[in-house]
Amino acid sequence: MSTIKLNNGHEMPQVGFGCWKVDNATCADTIYNAIKVGYRLFDGAQDYGNEKEVGDGIKLALDEGLVARDELFIVSKLWNNYHDPANVETALDRTLSDLQVDYLDLFYIHFPIAFKYVPHSEKYPPGFYCGDGDNFHYENVPLLDTWKALEKLVQKGKIRSIGISNFSGALILDLLRGAEIPPAVLQIEHHPYLQQPKLIKWVKEKNIAITAYSSFGPQSFVELDHPKVKDCVALFEHKDILSIANTHKRSAAQVLLRWATQRGLAVIPKSNKTERLLANLTVNDFDLSESEIDTISKLDVGLRFNDPWDWDEIPIFH
């Protein structure tokens, strides 16, 4: 298992299992099977609404002795409604309880957006609900205040590493000015149609690791009926990707994942099928040529699927 050494000394598996959109009914079995196949990093979030089931799958594997807790790298993300420092630890404690673990290996700020607080008893996870039907409401909580609350939880031993997700370069630069503990990892949408090379170069220079999500591009958003999906060729069907896959006798998915890992990024694909689980995990045993990497680099068109502007005209990336 290839790992990435984080700026705090911890080792993070380079290929993990993404828990977004894993169906609750089969989630525990899926997580258990992924551990059995060899996955050690599980990337979840409060907003995914399946942390209890993820925890059930992890507990089953631990109880059976398939793996020890210190062999796992368990990840979650602080949702937007809990940015106020008064609510950060309570939110984390809910995640720890649902996952049935004593600490997280990595806890991200999911988005640099502070929604109005919603008590767990009212709705959990709240999603876009801010206590007033479909209307968005916000809190004036600086990101650094939320970050300071997370730093305290590192000191308490409840989190080993803290990270940021869906942050722009300007926000990271500002956060670094006041952070005592620098972010260990940045998680971003990253695929051939959205490559963000300048951000990646700068973040790497700051010794912050990068995890790519939605590595398969539009494929991740088909079931959500995302309007931008129809604007592009599916990467699994793109002639350039298929040509490279044929050269290496690999699947298009493996080529897309290797394109990221060969450039030093971590990836978090998901699948419900055991053979695909294994195929996604074994992507570091072949190399793409420089010309093949250049071919994929030319596919960048800045096509972002996960954009808060589409929620309520929130200009994170604009």
Side-chain angles (χ1 to χ4, degrees), residues 15-154:
V15 180
F17 183 90
C19 301
W20 182 41
K21 299 184 300 176
V22 177
D23 185 70
N24 293 65
T26 56
C27 183
D29 287 340
T30 299
I31 299 302
Y32 173 81
N33 289 331
I35 291 173
K36 209 169 186 179
V37 165
Y39 282 85
R40 295 296 177 259
L41 184 151
F42 292 88
D43 181 276
Q46 294 166 346
D47 186 54
Y48 299 167
N50 58 10
E51 288 199 315
K52 190 174 184 311
E53 292 78 9
V54 170
D56 288 341
I58 290 170
K59 185 175 187 302
L60 182 59
L62 291 173
D63 288 348
E64 288 192 5
L66 284 182
V67 70
R69 171 64 186 93
D70 62 3
E71 295 176 274
L72 295 175
F73 196 98
I74 301 175
V75 181
S76 186
K77 305 178 189 76
L78 180 76
W79 185 239
N80 305 339
N81 301 80
Y82 312 123
H83 277 218
D84 190 305
N87 302 319
V88 171
E89 186 166 15
T90 305
L92 172 64
D93 286 345
R94 172 63 184 260
T95 283
L96 293 174
S97 173
D98 283 349
L99 290 172
Q100 304 173 64
V101 295
D102 296 327
Y103 68 91
L104 291 179
D105 294 276
L106 175 60
F107 196 38
Y108 293 104
I109 296 177
H110 203 153
F111 283 92
I113 301 163
F115 287 163
K116 186 178 178 182
Y117 174 66
V118 174
H120 294 176
S121 58
E122 186 174 338
K123 184 175 172 63
Y124 186 86
F128 288 159
Y129 176 70
C130 298
D132 178 26
D134 295 330
N135 298 308
F136 284 89
H137 296 281
Y138 302 88
E139 291 181 340
N140 290 320
V141 182
L143 287 168
L144 186 59
D145 288 2
T146 306
W147 191 256
K148 292 290 184 188
L150 291 173
E151 289 178 334
K152 288 177 182 175
L153 296 173
V154 173

Side-chain angles (χ1 to χ4, degrees), residues 111-113 165-169 171 304 307-309 311 313-318:
F111 283 92
I113 301 163
S165 179
N166 302 299
F167 274 52
S168 66
L171 291 176
R304 185 183 301 277
D307 189 347
W309 184 264
W311 308 351
E313 297 192 348
I314 306 168
I316 302 303
F317 304 115
H318 302 275

